[in-house]
Amino acid sequence: MVDYHASNNQASSGGPAVYMDPREQENDWDRDLLLDPAWEKQQRKTFTAWCNSHLRKAGTQIENIEEDFRDGLKLMLLLEVISGERLPKPERGKMRVHKINNVNKALDYIASKGVKLVSIGAEEIVDGNAKMTLGMIWTIILRFAIQDISVEETSAKEGLLLWCQRKTAPYKNVNVQNFHISWKDGLAFNALIHRHRPELIDYDKLRKDDPLTNLNNAFEVAEKYLDIPKMMDAEDIVNTARPDEKAIMTYVSSFYHAFSGAQKAETAANRICKVLAVNQENEHLMEDYEKLASDLLEWIRRTIPWLENRAPEKTMAEMQQKLEDFRGYRRVHKPPKVQEKCQLEINFNTLQTKLRLSNRPAFMPSEGRMVSDINGSWHNLEGAEKGYEEWMLNEIRRLERLDHLAEKFRQKATIHESWTDGKEAMLTQKDYETASLSEVKALLRKHEAFESDLAAHQDRVEQIAAIAQELNELDYYDSPSVNARCQKICEQWDALGSLTQSRRESLERTEKQLESIDELYLEYAKRAAPFNNWMEGAMEDLQDMFIVHNIEEIQGLITAHEQFKSTLPEANKEREAIQAIQAEVQKIAQYNGIKLSGGNPYTTITPKSIDDKWHKVEQLVPQRDRALQEELAKQQSNDHLRRKFATQANIVGPWIQTKMEEIGRISIEMNGTLEDQLVNLREYEQSIIEYKPNIDQLEGDHQLIQEALIFDNSYTAYTMEHLRVGWEQLLTTIARTINEIENQILTRDAKGISQEQLHEYRTSFNHFDKDHSGALMAEEFKACLISLGYDVENNKAKRTGQMDMDNYRALLVATGNSLGDAEFARIMGIVDPNNSGAVTFQAFIDFMSRETTDTDTADQVIASFKILAADKNFITAEELRRELPPDQAEYCIARMAPYSGPDAKPGALDYMSFSTALYGESDL
């Protein structure tokens, strides 16, 4: 309560009682407290004019201040007008007691407003004591015209003086330091008017050396245009060494109240503009988020079916084109989308921070466009991507295997078909019917040799059937033609078997009648047939296609080839022995004079064919040597590619891991101002980006490996896929860390949090974040609040000093674990709305800033609109356009619903529902 009182010295000396707030006392008020005659004259005129400015509203006025208040009637009326309240009914009698009772009612009402009246009694007022009456009026002026004036939480007098200083600061020759001599030249009064109504005064034409003109100009303009009555005479002020302070204060307070309405409207308009600007910016950010989220989700929606398409291609070329398309997707199309996704999360976090700082409801994206939805779709994309790459590599391996098997099938089928050509005709001929005994024996031996040859070819037929079966199992695209050819070979093989059996039976029936046999021919045939088959098998093996994937496999083939070459001398001896048999036949025939007709009757294998095939084998051996050495060189090159990739990967992988750990430490151990941290983090981010050429080099090495169809690498545990994911996580993590600091700067600037407070918050948070996870569990968070002096039970902050976890648990035990469970549950609902059980640092500082700073509220915005609407419950478009900037006025008009209250008028707009909608309390 403000205690206005008068000095006992002044009352006892007969002067008027002066009533003031003890905080506003000045030395010049306490001199001898005797009213100077010039001051008394000024007070009479000023106080009378002030009283009449209010009594006019009741249709009356006073002429003599000490006479007209003696009966208490106009005094009570004055108090009712200036307070807006009803006083007790006055007594209408003319007797002295009636007057005293009325004055006492007025004095009692003044005392009820917290004013302590000292040395003023009703008798002095009724008796017409001028000094007491002026003192009483000054008390009323202080209480009802000056007391409520406060600028930056100053006292009434200081607030009024500060207001005058600010308003007149831009004007030359004006220096308001008090309420007496600073106003003598009249320039301060003119400056106040010009500051608020520049069209009423030409300030530049006023002269400091002409105070009478200046004062009269200000008094006349104020009375004519501002409805401020003339309360003083210019001559009295100029001719007084020190004008009366109370008179000046009374008159200046009329200017303050005259202009306060405009100031309130200006303040209200500024508040509304600020709120609308925040809302417009947030709406733009929401629209940008929705569009970016829709575009990214649409791209993912189109891409996943492409990655999930597992329709196999028929040829290696087609599958390799698919792989090349996938590489283009990984190199060209996906990286920008990774950046878009990261930027989308950053934009979403920034928007939510701005909404929290402006006391707006959290942004809820439209259905299916939440950050979690995008992360889910992205996860599905990466799952499809990984499966797609594995499928293509498996398909390439399968097609490679199929091509190899198909070529092997064709080679073996061609050899077999070449061998079987004419065999059916041979087995069905009846030559033995007209042959001699020796010829029949020869035919039988020849048939035995054929059976031996046939048995030797059984393995090749089984190989052909096995290859065809494997091609079918691997889903070879040309399986029908393979199956048809294999079926034909098998059927022909079965027919040959039947024909062979039939011919043998025929020959054996004839054998009983045939005895001549050329043993030598037979021996030749028996030895030549397997040797010839061996050579054919050797030629087939030497020309056989091979496929290997590493050095060990090619070295195994080289070893096997060397072993084959080591058997060639023994094979050559067998060839020479077979040729010696034929030579012996010729020798015996010549010796006995036998004329040989035709060739060996038991075999079609001639010495020349044996020599030709042997020479072919000798030619194929060095060719096989060269092919194996070329493949060895290729595998050595592939091994070099593996080592090159592994060397770089074994550097890049640990580097990425180290940087991830460094970022984790940086986010916990940040020092310096937030701006310093932001600069350091951006420099750190740039150093990471500058490492990108190493990733690109690794991508190039990886592409060379894939183009070489290398599918494994024993020199490193890192795959390109792991390194890509690590690199993308590294870029995303540093970007999120920078965004966290940016959001902290936004919070600090918007909420007025000092750097020391933020440092204290970070230190306490890190202290209780024992596992360095970047989040506090509920018990850790509660301990952190207590350590910062936050009274969880009484919902207020008080400095209690730092408290570690052990002391906190001890406190829980000592207090029966009752530190405001309900209040703490409310706090957790704010900082952890998703009930995750953890509180992030951003949520923590948002809560601390919201608890310790003021923000705009819906009620404040409604109050501001009410000022612009001149206290009406609605506002018109014309008023909005007059008070607000054009774009924000039109923004309100487009969104305000028509007002439907009982006092509605055409064109009335509902600013109340609009204001609450801004803060999420209702829908527009």
Side-chain angles (χ1 to χ4, degrees), residues 542 556-565 621 624-625 628:
L542 289 171
L557 291 178
I558 292 173
T559 300
H561 183 61
E562 292 298 324
Q563 290 174 351
F564 168 77
K565 289 195 296 184
V621 168
R624 184 74 168 182
D625 284 333
L628 291 173

Side-chain angles (χ1 to χ4, degrees), residues 286-287 289-298 344 348 363-375 377:
M286 293 175 190
E287 292 170 0
Y289 173 88
E290 289 284 345
K291 183 179 185 304
L292 188 56
S294 297
D295 292 345
L296 183 57
L297 287 171
E298 176 60 20
L344 191 69
F348 181 84
F363 169 55
M364 289 297 294
S366 57
E367 186 176 358
R369 293 181 175 85
M370 293 287 290
V371 171
S372 59
D373 297 324
I374 294 170
N375 287 336
S377 296

Side-chain angles (χ1 to χ4, degrees), residues 761-815:
Y761 293 160
R762 170 56 78 179
T763 300
S764 297
F765 188 91
N766 290 343
H767 176 76
F768 291 99
D769 184 14
K770 303 297 185 182
D771 58 357
H772 305 298
S773 64
L776 300 181
M777 297 298 101
E779 187 176 278
E780 295 172 334
F781 174 59
K782 194 170 188 179
C784 185
L785 288 180
I786 294 175
S787 75
L788 288 169
Y790 190 89
D791 189 337
V792 181
E793 190 163 353
N794 297 316
N795 189 20
K796 64 182 180 180
K798 61 182 182 180
R799 308 310 300 167
T800 58
Q802 293 291 338
M803 179 181 295
D804 60 24
M805 204 64 189
D806 293 336
N807 290 334
Y808 167 65
R809 292 191 179 96
L811 179 60
L812 288 179
V813 173
T815 58

